[in-house]
Amino acid sequence: MNKKITECSHTCFMCQHILPEWWEVINVKRDIIKVKKGQKFIEEGSKREGVFFIQDGFVKVHKHWGEREMIVRFAKKGEIVGHRGISAENMHSPISATAMQDSVLCFVELDFFKTLLKANISLSYELMMFYADELQWSEQKMGSFIHLSVKERFVINLNYLIKHFGLDESNTLQIELSKTEMAAYIGTTYETMYRVIAEMENADILTFSGKQIEIISLTKLQAQALS
């Protein structure tokens, strides 16, 4: 499954924030891992080995929440996955990660990544800011489970996904998600998610066909978040 590849665009989170003289070292140290759609490449509870950077594709980061799956975040090309396993005390991964489409991942071992952090102040700073932003969003998301309705959570999270992944020329979200995956992301059941989506389709706000979400009226969607 692993294959050394010397060519790199140096556009991922890691390469963007290190000194260029480290690129050649990374080419030697890294492994390229090709994963198929639906393939899990990090297992919750497994021994942490290193971090991944998405060179191509789209993945979900998830964990068990009782007997259900909770999707923690989605990650796209260039982004880091596995950073939640960086800990001085806990040697096991707190999350799982699964490819949502055929993907190409860059893997570096944890000790080497820590060396990069010590030698590259910019990388350390940007990772700290990334952690801060992710923690803030996670806290808002967890708070919404208590204080907001499923519809409100859906609207807020959909707006976040639009901001993060964007819409194409037909106003379709540029990632494919099933209703089950969306339910796992906002912390509800498929049945409740189905009813909320049907309500918003009837209001001519969006259409949810298969795994594609087309926004009919961005103005109406944003107004739902403010109501």
Side-chain angles (χ1 to χ4, degrees):
M1 185 170 63
N2 292 6
K3 181 181 177 182
K4 286 288 185 181
I5 295 179
T6 56
E7 294 182 1
C8 179
S9 62
H10 304 301
T11 57
C12 74
F13 181 90
M14 174 175 60
C15 287
Q16 280 186 325
H17 301 300
I18 63 170
L19 298 170
E21 49 262 38
W22 279 93
W23 288 348
E24 187 174 345
V25 181
I26 288 175
N27 286 339
V28 174
K29 292 285 190 179
R30 72 185 180 129
D31 284 307
I32 294 298
I33 301 176
K34 297 181 179 180
V35 293
K36 296 291 186 180
K37 179 180 178 180
Q39 183 177 345
K40 188 182 294 185
F41 58 92
I42 300 178
E43 181 74 50
E44 183 178 354
S46 64
K47 184 179 178 181
R48 54 191 176 87
E49 303 288 348
V51 295
F52 298 83
F53 298 89
I54 304 173
Q55 289 207 334
D56 191 32
F58 172 51
V59 309
K60 66 177 179 180
V61 177
H62 52 107
K63 63 185 289 107
H64 287 103
W65 186 20
E67 296 182 354
R68 296 194 347 227
E69 175 192 76
M70 177 176 70
I71 297 179
V72 178
R73 61 183 279 254
F74 299 105
K76 61 182 179 179
K77 182 177 180 178
E79 295 185 335
I80 185 173
V81 177
H83 56 286
R84 289 172 179 251
I86 301 175
S87 170
E89 297 183 7
N90 190 348
M91 296 298 294
H92 298 90
S93 174
I95 55 89
S96 295
T98 300
M100 298 188 70
Q101 58 184 223
D102 291 353
S103 301
V104 180
L105 312 171
C106 171
F107 171 82
V108 294
E109 293 183 350
L110 194 55
D111 286 344
F112 175 64
F113 186 63
K114 288 180 177 179
T115 297
L116 288 177
L117 290 173
K118 292 175 183 177
N120 293 269
I121 296 174
S122 178
L123 178 62
S124 298
Y125 174 78
E126 292 298 334
L127 183 62
M128 180 184 70
M129 298 306 295
F130 176 77
Y131 269 118
D133 289 342
E134 188 178 50
L135 178 60
Q136 184 180 55
W137 173 245
S138 295
E139 289 176 339
Q140 290 177 2
K141 192 174 177 183
M142 292 304 295
S144 73
F145 289 171
I146 301 172
H147 301 293
L148 301 180
S149 67
V150 172
K151 181 180 178 181
E152 290 168 329
R153 299 204 303 266
F154 173 66
V155 169
I156 289 172
N157 282 277
L158 181 55
N159 273 300
Y160 172 80
L161 292 175
I162 290 170
K163 180 180 179 181
H164 190 67
F165 293 99
L167 301 173
D168 65 15
E169 62 278 0
S170 63
N171 274 354
T172 299
L173 186 66
Q174 295 198 94
I175 57 171
E176 293 188 345
L177 297 174
S178 68
K179 292 182 177 71
T180 299
E181 289 162 342
M182 182 61 80
Y185 184 55
I186 69 171
T188 189
T189 63
Y190 171 85
E191 291 77 14
T192 303
M193 188 77 270
Y194 184 92
R195 288 195 296 270
V196 168
I197 289 171
E199 179 184 340
M200 298 189 74
E201 286 180 327
N202 291 333
D204 292 328
I205 296 174
L206 56 81
T207 59
F208 204 132
S209 177
K211 291 190 173 185
Q212 294 188 325
I213 306 174
E214 179 185 349
I215 308 302
I216 298 174
S217 174
L218 191 58
T219 301
K220 286 184 179 181
L221 178 65
Q222 292 171 340
Q224 292 288 316
L226 299 174
S227 61

